[in-house]
């Protein structure tokens, strides 16, 4: 009546059903997370640009994806290059230059992507107004120690 093959087949089907049910729950949770994230992005995008100086002490997660404007002077001698990046299939780096606000606060600004075979142009001299979107920092001990040594931050 019940052969071992039939039992094994029924167990395999049961495991498959349970696996699919588990994956469907994972997909639903991921959908809800993405929906909430997109709603937060849309809400922050609808806000008028904020002054970067007013957000300096705010927690990064609270202002991430917020449009900001800043007025200051570039600190070109402290330009960093974040290597091992790619864009449209081209290897390159992101160019990050601090902007010194009138208060003396430094704001790191990603000036853009530069392919490896292209020289990076220096930032313009004098006071500039920049607009952008706040992003949380990528954590890297190497970059943190380099910034600390360049600016004497402990």
């Amino acid at each position: 009546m019940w052969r071992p093959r039939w039992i094994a087949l029924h167990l395999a089907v049961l495991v498959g059903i349970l696996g699919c049910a588990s994956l469907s729950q994972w997909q639903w949770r991921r959908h809800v997370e993405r929906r909430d994230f997109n709603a937060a992005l849309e809400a922050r995008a609808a806000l008028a640009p904020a002054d970067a100086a007013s957000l300096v002490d705010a927690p990064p997660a609270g202002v991430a994806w917020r449009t900001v404007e800043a007025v200051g002077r570039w600190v070109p001698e402290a330009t960093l290059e974040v290597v091992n990046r790619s864009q449209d299939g081209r290897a390159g780096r992101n160019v990050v230059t601090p902007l010194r606000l009138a208060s003396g606060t430094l704001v790191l600004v990603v000036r853009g992507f530069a392919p490896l075979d292209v020289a990076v142009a220096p930032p313009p001299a004098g006071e500039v107004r920049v607009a952008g979107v706040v992003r949380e920092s990528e954590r890297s001990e190497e970059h943190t120690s380099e910034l600390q040594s360049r600016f004497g931050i402990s």
Side-chain angles (χ1 to χ4, degrees), residues 15-139:
V15 167
I17 290 169
L18 292 174
C20 287
S22 175
L23 287 173
S24 71
Q25 289 177 352
W26 171 80
Q27 281 188 319
W28 181 254
R29 284 191 306 271
R30 183 70 183 114
H31 162 72
V32 170
E33 288 172 4
R34 177 55 81 184
R35 183 190 61 201
D36 294 346
F37 177 76
N38 288 343
L41 281 183
E42 289 173 3
R44 289 182 181 169
L47 297 171
D51 179 37
S54 68
L55 301 177
V56 168
D57 293 324
V63 295
W65 301 101
R66 177 78 196 266
T67 304
V68 295
E69 291 181 343
V71 176
R73 295 180 180 278
W74 294 112
V75 184
E77 64 275 9
T79 296
L80 300 171
E81 292 182 359
V82 182
V83 295
N84 293 328
R85 301 295 180 196
S86 65
Q87 184 172 321
D88 297 328
R90 292 186 74 184
R93 68 252 192 229
N94 284 338
V95 180
V96 181
T97 304
L99 183 72
R100 187 178 308 278
L101 306 180
S103 66
T105 302
L106 292 174
V107 177
L108 295 179
V109 178
V110 178
R111 290 180 33 222
F113 175 83
L116 290 176
D117 58 346
V118 175
V120 176
E127 190 171 88
V128 295
R129 174 180 296 275
V130 296
V133 177
V134 176
R135 294 288 308 269
E136 286 190 68
S137 296
E138 293 181 24
R139 304 288 185 235

